[in-house]
């Protein structure tokens, strides 16, 4: 093995028997059992001739459900959504034409720190090292193109073309995905899944990863330094970020919040990972587009603890956060940095937060300041009779639908900002893809999340432009008997792009979206659609979706004015536009 690339050494001998002798296991069965052992019950796939034998073995595993998707991109997005709810997801595609199609979804999962097992049915093992040109390739006798593409968006790559090291490569890939919380790539030669080998002779030993333990001296020193830094501050705050998921630190985060009394905010990409019902919660910290009175409290603090943050141009609103490094403690999954230094490595987030909770003095000064300046929203939204539905009224009604039995999926676009303002009840899920921001992500992600979280009803908010990218897998939702409620917000184009930089390319062809979904439904399965233009229509549609059609996929097309956007998008768009259009520095 060299670096992170693990490639089988030589082609499998042609003398290996084609069928499994009694008592010997096969590669296909081992891979299927491993997926089940790590918690994967549903695998999202698109068939192709190189992966068909492997799919047979996955289907043969009684605890595994194979879900065929309409295209590879959506299969990858579904594995992403599944991993958000279950902790790990998996998809299976075919060589190169499938692999390069799923690549964008895997890149998104990498950016969001999600362990996704991407399995590709590869060429026959005898073809490696030959001068043969295969179909589904770019016409060169070099089969490494797909591998080279995946090297940049996965944390481990295993090319299995030899049964002697297949067991080791598969297990190493899966364990690396779980340890690194990133996607991995496993290519399996199309002639290998059904062949027996002594390494697969018995039931796979239950999968176990040794727990990571912090450097004890480093942990103690980091906690002492952080406690001293915070205990002498006057009005400290805590802000949760998206890497709280990677650190598996939700409970430790609450433990710290309970102990210290500081105000508790969340970065936009961390929404859903921080309990919004907590008495110290003050809202979303997003610089100039923060929740009312939240930005002021965070940016005026004399010390802030950011747990698992990602500071990019989107989360920093075009690099405009008023955060000073010397007042900042950054808690990463494996490292703690205090102010301009020092930094402590191999200190794990959960250990650090739990230990720090025991060392901090209670300090509610900043929380009391928030209570002092906070003015609750008190102006009722007024409307004219039969007025065209406004987006803020739509989300007022969506707010009323939320409970611990629901989860919200927010598509890239103005839904980011409108869903960000929703107050999440205890145990209400929330997901969106902020770092990668791939429009169309939410259709596949809703499919995957709903398969993993069958105890919740998913409420997806999707713009018309995004929906046009990945609409097909509404079909798979119906086939899987999902009961999601999808609000399709029809405002005639790519609104988020309009607010960054407008042009004729942001206008799209309008579809009859409910007509499309009805055609996909085609009388098979449970699906109900409605068009909504006024608040009366909306109230009636929600009542129907939550009663008569509570067991159906409900698709509600909501018509709003093309310029009806959140004030946050307008502010954010202008700042991101300014960051994008900075002139070159003089040389």
């Amino acid at each position: 093995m060299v670096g992170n690339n693990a490639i089988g050494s030589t082609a499998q001998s042609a003398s290996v028997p084609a069928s499994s002798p009694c008592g010997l296991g096969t590669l296909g069965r081992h891979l299927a059992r491993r997926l089940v052992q790590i918690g994967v019950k549903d695998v999202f796939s698109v068939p192709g001739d190189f992966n068909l034998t492997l799919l047979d073995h996955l289907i043969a595993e009684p605890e595994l459900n194979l879900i065929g998707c309409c295209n590879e991109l959506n299969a990858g997005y579904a594995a992403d959504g599944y991993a958000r709810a279950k902790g790990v997801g998996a998809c299976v595609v075919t060589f190169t034409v499938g692999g390069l199609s799923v690549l964008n979804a895997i890149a998104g999962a990498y950016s969001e720190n999600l362990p996704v097992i991407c399995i590709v049915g590869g060429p026959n093992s005898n073809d490696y090292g030959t001068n043969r040109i295969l179909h589904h390739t770019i016409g060169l006798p070099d089969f490494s193109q797909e591998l080279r593409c995946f090297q940049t968006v996965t944390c481990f790559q295993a090319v299995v073309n030899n049964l002697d090291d297949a067991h080791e490569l598969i297990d190493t890939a899966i364990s690396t995905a779980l340890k690194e919380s990133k996607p991995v790539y496993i290519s399996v030669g199309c002639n290998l899944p059904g062949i027996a080998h002594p390494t697969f002779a018995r039931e796979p030993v239950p999968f176990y990863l040794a727990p990571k333990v912090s450097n004890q001296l480093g942990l103690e020193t980091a906690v002492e330094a952080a406690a001293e830094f915070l205990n002498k501050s006057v009005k400290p705050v805590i802000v949760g970020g998206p890497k709280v998921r990677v650190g598996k630190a939700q409970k430790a985060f609450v433990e710290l919040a309970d102990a210290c009394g500081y105000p508790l905010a969340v970065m936009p990409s961390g929404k859903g990972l921080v309990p919004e019902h907590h008495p110290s919660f003050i809202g979303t910290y997003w610089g100039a587009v923060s929740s009312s009175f939240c930005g002021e409290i965070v940016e005026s603090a004399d010390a802030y603890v950011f747990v698992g943050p990602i500071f990019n141009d989107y989360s920093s609103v075009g690099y405009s956060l008023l955060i000073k490094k010397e007042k900042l403690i950054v808690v990463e999954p494996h490292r703690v940095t205090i102010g301009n230094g020092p930094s402590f490595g191999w200190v794990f987030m959960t250990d650090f937060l739990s230990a720090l909770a025991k060392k901090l003095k209670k300090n509610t000064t900043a929380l009391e300041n928030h209570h002092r300046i906070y003015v609750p929203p008190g102006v009722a939204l007024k409307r004219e009779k039969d007025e065209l539905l406004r987006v803020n009224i739509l989300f007022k009604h969506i707010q009323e639908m939320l409970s611990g039995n629901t989860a919200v999926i927010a598509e890239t676009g103005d839904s980011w900002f409108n869903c960000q303002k929703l107050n999440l009840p205890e145990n209400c899920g929330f997901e969106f893809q902020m770092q990668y921001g791939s429009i169309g992500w939410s259709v596949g992600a809703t499919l995957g999340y709903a398969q993993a979280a069958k105890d919740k009803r998913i409420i997806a908010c999707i713009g018309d432009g995004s929906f046009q990218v990945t609409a097909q897998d509404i079909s798979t939702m119906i086939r899987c008997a999902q009961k999601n409620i999808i609000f399709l917000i029809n405002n005639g184009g790519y609104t988020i792009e309009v607010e960054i930089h407008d042009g004729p390319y942001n206008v799209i062809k309008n579809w009859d979206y409910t007509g499309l979904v009805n055609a996909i439904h085609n009388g098979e399965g449970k699906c109900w659609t409605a068009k909504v233009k006024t608040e009366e229509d909306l109230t009636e549609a929600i009542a129907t979706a939550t009663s008569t059609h509570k067991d159906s996929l409900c698709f509600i097309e909501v018509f709003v004015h093309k310029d009806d956007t959140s004030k946050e998008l307008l502010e954010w768009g202008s700042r991101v536009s300014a960051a994008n259009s900075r002139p070159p520095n003089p040389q």
Side-chain angles (χ1 to χ4, degrees):
M1 297 184 194
V2 181
N4 267 354
N5 303 329
I7 302 178
S9 49
T10 57
Q12 174 64 31
S13 167
S15 63
V16 172
S19 60
S20 169
C22 183
L24 288 187
T26 62
L27 184 159
R29 184 174 190 279
H30 176 80
L31 181 54
R33 291 298 300 151
R34 273 286 183 251
L35 292 175
V36 169
Q37 284 180 341
I38 63 172
V40 174
K41 304 294 185 184
D42 302 271
V43 176
F44 303 92
S45 70
V46 178
D49 60 330
F50 286 124
N51 71 13
L52 298 178
T53 304
L54 178 59
L55 295 182
D56 287 339
H57 284 80
L58 299 182
I59 290 171
E61 168 53 53
E63 294 183 63
L64 209 55
N65 181 30
L66 193 70
I67 297 177
C69 295
C70 298
N71 59 50
E72 290 87 359
L73 179 61
N74 275 337
Y77 286 154
D80 169 313
Y82 194 91
R84 290 167 183 268
K86 266 286 183 84
V88 61
C91 56
V92 185
V93 299
T94 196
F95 186 59
T96 306
V97 287
L100 298 190
S101 288
V102 80
L103 193 68
N104 186 51
I106 299 304
Y110 188 98
S111 77
E112 300 275 325
N113 301 292
L114 298 168
V116 171
I117 316 297
C118 181
I119 303 164
V120 174
N124 185 293
S125 62
N126 298 299
D127 290 328
Y128 282 90
T130 69
N131 206 35
R132 293 173 182 151
I133 294 176
L134 294 184
H135 68 286
H136 288 343
T137 69
I138 59 171
L140 298 176
D142 173 10
F143 306 151
S144 67
Q145 183 203 22
E146 179 183 81
L147 169 66
R148 284 183 280 121
C149 292
F150 274 95
Q151 283 171 339
T152 60
V153 295
T154 56
C155 66
F156 189 91
Q157 307 83 37
V159 177
V160 180
N161 55 23
N162 183 313
L163 286 173
D164 288 341
D165 58 3
H167 189 291
E168 178 189 358
L169 290 178
I170 289 169
D171 282 10
T172 303
I174 291 173
S175 61
T176 304
L178 297 176
K179 285 188 288 188
E180 300 293 327
S181 198
K182 295 280 191 184
V184 293
Y185 165 85
I186 302 175
S187 172
V188 178
C190 61
N191 59 326
L192 301 183
I195 301 176
H197 193 270
T199 55
F200 304 122
R202 48 176 74 223
E203 178 76 9
V205 174
F207 206 75
Y208 175 77
L209 292 176
K212 290 181 178 178
V213 180
S214 293
N215 173 338
Q216 193 58 35
L217 190 56
L219 172 63
E220 291 170 7
T221 309
V223 168
E224 289 296 334
E228 182 184 359
F229 185 89
L230 293 168
N231 283 335
K232 69 183 181 186
S233 63
V234 177
K235 43 183 183 177
V237 298
I238 311 173
V239 184
K243 288 187 179 178
V244 169
R245 188 204 306 271
V246 183
K248 296 180 171 58
Q250 288 96 323
K251 286 184 180 177
F253 188 91
V254 174
E255 188 181 338
L256 177 65
D258 288 343
C260 68
Y262 304 172
L264 183 59
V266 64
M267 295 184 76
S269 49
K271 190 175 176 73
L273 300 174
V274 170
E276 299 188 9
H277 62 279
H278 194 281
S280 298
F281 184 73
I282 62 170
T284 298
Y285 174 62
W286 201 350
V289 294
S290 298
S291 305
S292 299
F293 310 103
C294 176
E296 292 83 351
I297 293 298
V298 172
E299 292 182 341
S300 65
D302 58 343
Y304 6 75
V305 183
F306 275 76
V307 183
I310 293 178
F311 295 109
N312 61 20
D313 53 338
Y314 274 12
S315 69
S316 68
V317 198
Y319 313 111
S320 64
L321 299 186
L322 301 179
I323 294 294
K324 295 181 179 175
K325 192 175 178 184
E326 63 269 19
K327 298 180 181 179
L328 174 64
I329 295 178
V330 176
V331 186
E332 297 285 356
H334 308 135
R335 175 173 292 276
V336 174
T337 303
I338 299 173
N340 290 315
S343 189
F344 303 89
W346 210 248
V347 171
F348 294 104
M349 187 181 281
T350 49
D351 297 340
F352 176 78
L353 297 179
S354 292
L356 183 62
K358 298 175 178 65
K359 295 281 187 179
L360 292 183
K361 299 174 186 171
K362 196 101 172 178
N363 184 342
T364 59
T365 303
L367 187 60
E368 289 162 12
N369 287 346
H370 181 264
H371 293 331
R372 216 170 273 121
I373 67 170
Y374 181 73
V375 179
V379 180
L381 292 169
K382 295 180 181 177
R383 61 181 179 84
E384 301 299 322
K385 190 175 188 314
D386 296 326
E387 178 191 353
L388 185 68
L389 186 63
R390 280 183 278 149
V391 170
N392 51 19
I393 290 179
L394 165 64
F395 279 89
K396 181 188 78 168
H397 285 273
I398 291 176
Q399 175 68 65
E400 292 166 359
M401 299 172 69
L402 302 186
S403 72
N405 299 317
T406 60
V408 177
I409 304 284
E411 176 56 83
T412 300
D414 200 20
S415 291
W416 273 6
F417 301 90
N418 289 305
C419 289
Q420 196 67 228
K421 290 183 279 189
L422 295 172
N423 297 315
L424 302 182
E426 187 172 2
N427 296 323
C428 179
F430 185 94
E431 298 292 345
F432 77 134
Q433 189 197 54
M434 186 172 190
Q435 172 61 41
Y436 203 57
S438 185
I439 63 168
W441 161 85
S442 65
V443 176
T446 297
L447 165 65
Y449 194 99
Q451 276 303 114
K454 292 196 167 98
D455 57 328
K456 293 185 185 295
R457 193 164 194 195
I458 314 306
I459 298 170
C461 301
I462 308 177
D464 50 345
S466 297
F467 184 72
Q468 288 195 8
V469 180
T470 47
Q472 306 96 310
D473 272 281
I474 290 283
S475 168
T476 313
M477 295 180 198
I478 296 171
R479 202 148 45 91
C480 292
Q482 294 186 355
K483 53 187 182 181
N484 312 322
I485 301 175
I486 295 173
F487 289 98
L488 186 285
I489 301 167
N490 186 345
N491 58 6
Y494 295 123
T495 304
I496 191 168
E497 313 292 8
V498 167
E499 302 309 333
I500 295 174
H501 184 96
D502 201 5
Y505 30 75
N506 291 326
V507 179
I508 59 175
K509 170 73 176 71
N510 197 27
W511 291 0
D512 177 358
Y513 293 98
T514 55
L516 173 68
V517 172
N518 288 332
I520 291 172
H521 175 212
N522 198 25
E524 297 176 4
K526 292 184 176 180
C527 177
W528 176 77
T529 65
K531 290 184 187 289
V532 164
K533 294 186 177 179
T534 66
E535 187 176 11
E536 288 82 5
D537 295 344
L538 177 67
T539 305
E540 185 180 337
I542 291 174
T544 304
T546 53
S547 57
T548 313
H549 289 284
K550 67 179 186 297
D551 294 322
S552 302
L553 179 84
C554 295
F555 184 90
I556 301 172
E557 181 180 0
V558 181
F559 293 86
V560 297
H561 192 279
K562 69 181 181 65
D563 293 326
D564 185 1
T565 63
S566 64
K567 73 179 183 67
E568 290 81 6
L569 174 57
L570 297 175
E571 173 77 17
W572 177 90
S574 63
R575 289 174 181 265
V576 170
S577 175
N580 286 352
S581 58
R582 286 167 296 162
N585 288 327
Q587 298 300 311

